[in-house]
């Protein structure tokens, strides 16, 4: 099964993706993690994207599509991918559909984590204090949320139109949210 965990920054995509890796053995594909690793390694790609991440803007579609394409083969052997933070634009979603179709695969479901804005801000502020991730500071978070609303939220009608969108209450504890995701996945015909 290939699934997308969808939601604004701080909605719990990364936390829930890691849980699904544990319980289902699927592969987590987080473009944010890949970009942060590139920056930490000091690679040419890292140099190109570091200012964009620091500002809270989106990097180009071309860059993240290439990162995902490279990783698709390994997800097939594992029984599927959990896309975390990708796609973030309609162009990325179209490219993902085309890449998967070329491999005889598809997105089976999109799980939308519903978390309200005050809770997002509280979570990201907490993560900033604990982990010191620079783009979690409250100012940059505003830019990331604006990017979500302008560029990523339009994916909701895209996946709704494909009949793949499932909403899950993301306000509870990680355990409660995991249970709700599992219950939702039980209804997916993969
Ligand atoms: P995340 O860890 O998913 O919140 O991503 C951190 C940052 O990486 C984002 O604020 C963007 O700058 C960049 N990024 C991650 N995934 C994407 C994507 N799919 N498209 C464009 N930029 C991305």
């Amino acid at each position: 099964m290939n699934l997308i965990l969808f939601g604004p920054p701080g909605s719990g995509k990364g936390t829930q993706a890691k849980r699904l890796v544990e319980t289902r053995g699927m592969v987590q594909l987080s473009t944010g993690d890949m970009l942060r690793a590139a920056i930490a390694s000091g690679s040419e790609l890292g140099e190109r994207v570091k200012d964009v991440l620091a500002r809270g803007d989106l990097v180009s579609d071309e860059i993240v599509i290439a990162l995902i394409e490279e990783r698709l083969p390994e997800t097939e052997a594992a029984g599927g991918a959990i896309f975390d933070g990708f796609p973030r634009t309609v162009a990325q979603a179209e490219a993902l559909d085309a890449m998967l179709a070329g491999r005889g695969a598809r997105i089976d479901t999109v799980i939308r984590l519903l978390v309200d804005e005050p809770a997002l801000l509280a979570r990201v502020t907490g993560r900033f204090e604990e982990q010191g991730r620079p783009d979690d500071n409250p100012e940059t978070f505003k830019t990331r949320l604006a990017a979500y609303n302008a560029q990523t939220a339009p994916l909701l009608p895209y996946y709704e139109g494909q009949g793949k969108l499932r909403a899950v209450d993301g306000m509870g504890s990680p355990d409660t949210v995991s249970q709700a995701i599992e219950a939702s996945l039980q209804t997916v015909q993969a």
Side-chain angles (χ1 to χ4, degrees):
M1 181 188 332
N2 290 310
L3 71 94
I4 296 173
L5 284 179
F6 191 91
S11 57
K13 301 185 296 292
T15 301
Q16 295 300 328
K18 286 183 180 64
R19 286 168 168 244
L20 287 165
V21 169
E22 296 280 313
T23 55
R24 291 181 169 249
M26 297 159 76
V27 174
Q28 175 189 12
L29 293 186
S30 159
T31 39
D33 284 352
M34 294 177 210
L35 293 166
R36 280 185 289 277
I39 294 169
S41 76
S43 68
E44 193 198 329
L45 171 65
E47 286 301 311
R48 274 169 69 195
V49 300
K50 70 177 185 197
D51 292 344
V52 184
L53 267 81
R55 285 198 305 272
D57 291 331
L58 296 188
V59 307
S60 74
D61 290 334
E62 192 197 358
I63 288 176
V64 286
I65 290 167
L67 288 172
I68 290 289
E69 188 165 30
E70 224 173 86
R71 301 283 305 274
L72 287 180
E74 78 188 72
T75 68
E76 288 162 11
I82 306 151
F83 295 94
D84 158 14
F86 180 94
R88 264 178 156 95
T89 64
V90 173
Q92 292 176 24
E94 289 171 348
L96 179 60
D97 280 347
M99 288 189 289
L100 289 173
R103 310 183 66 86
R106 64 189 171 111
I107 292 297
D108 296 291
T109 189
V110 179
I111 304 274
R112 178 186 186 189
L113 297 174
L114 298 172
V115 179
D116 66 29
E117 263 189 44
L120 294 175
L121 183 60
R123 286 184 189 181
V124 170
T125 306
R127 190 165 67 182
F128 182 55
E129 281 158 10
E130 273 167 35
Q131 300 173 16
R133 189 177 132 177
D135 61 346
D136 279 340
N137 79 70
E139 271 313 302
T140 312
F141 176 71
K142 276 190 209 153
T143 308
R144 292 167 65 206
L145 200 54
Y148 172 82
N149 287 324
Q151 290 164 278
T152 308
L155 286 177
L156 292 168
Y158 179 87
Y159 287 117
E160 182 78 67
Q162 294 188 356
K164 292 179 179 168
L165 200 59
R166 285 173 168 74
V168 163
D169 180 357
M171 294 287 290
S173 69
D175 282 348
T176 311
V177 178
S178 293
Q179 284 162 15
I181 290 174
E182 273 306 328
S184 184
L185 291 179
Q186 295 302 323
T187 67
V188 179
Q189 307 284 330

